[in-house]
Amino acid sequence: MARLDRLHQVIQAAMGWQNCHLHAFSAYGIQYGRRSSELDFVDETTAVLEVLVKEGGHLDYDYDFGDSWEHRVTVERRMTAEADHHYPACVDGAGACPPEDCGGPGGYEDLKRTLQDSADPEHEDLLRWLGLETAADFDPAHFDLREINRQLRTLD
């Protein structure tokens, strides 16, 4: 049974993020997250995905409330785990994951535009921030299923 705190770890690994920001899950008008005296979340360690969301249903996952990365997690179907497979596993995806702290969806679009324009005054700073030698080192269309699954295998 997958608790929501575990699902958070899976999403972080799949996105290539570092778990540096607050997050929350929302289902049926209830928000789940880390226990906190400041935020009125239901403790995500007590919430189980299989109980909250039936096949065909969904919940929402928000990460980095400043950047507002909003995800919809849909349970397409339930399957029986196979003994010779590692779980969790990513089965498909598209595009490179946005770098953490890039400013949300709008900031990511700006980042991609800036990287394509070597005359942009922020171009060189952005390359340094991303640790890239050239803009060609970042391909927004790149998706590496093997690398994501390697990251997922490192989860405890």
Side-chain angles (χ1 to χ4, degrees):
M1 301 244 273
R3 296 185 332 217
L4 293 186
D5 59 317
R6 174 70 169 169
L7 179 57
H8 165 69
Q9 292 174 341
V10 169
I11 293 169
Q12 289 290 300
M15 294 298 293
W17 287 337
Q18 305 300 313
N19 193 19
C20 298
H21 302 283
L22 292 173
H23 68 277
F25 291 95
S26 301
Y28 307 104
I30 299 171
Q31 285 196 303
Y32 301 84
R34 292 184 185 136
R35 282 193 304 192
S36 167
S37 59
E38 298 171 19
L39 300 171
D40 193 24
F41 295 149
V42 174
D43 182 1
E44 68 187 357
T45 65
T46 65
V48 177
L49 180 62
E50 293 87 342
V51 173
L52 284 176
V53 183
K54 303 300 178 208
E55 194 169 291
H58 69 269
L59 57 79
D60 294 318
Y61 172 77
D62 297 325
Y63 178 67
D64 187 348
F65 301 153
D67 281 3
S68 298
W69 292 107
E70 299 174 357
H71 300 77
R72 171 140 299 165
V73 178
T74 301
V75 177
E76 293 180 357
R77 66 184 165 125
R78 299 195 191 284
M79 300 169 54
T80 303
E82 297 178 29
D84 59 340
H85 286 75
H86 184 273
Y87 297 98
C90 181
V91 296
D92 199 6
C97 293
E100 193 148 7
D101 291 326
C102 72
Y108 185 48
E109 292 305 314
D110 290 343
L111 177 146
K112 291 188 288 186
R113 264 191 305 280
T114 301
L115 285 176
Q116 292 175 354
D117 181 3
S118 60
D120 188 297
E122 296 180 22
H123 182 85
E124 290 301 319
D125 288 339
L126 192 54
L127 287 175
R128 274 191 294 282
W129 179 69
L130 293 169
L132 303 175
E133 298 224 2
T134 70
D137 293 335
F138 181 76
D139 177 5
H142 178 73
F143 178 77
D144 189 340
L145 184 62
R146 277 190 185 168
E147 176 57 22
I148 290 170
N149 280 314
R150 189 187 71 70
Q151 290 296 322
L152 290 171
R153 281 191 297 278
T154 67
L155 296 177
D156 54 13

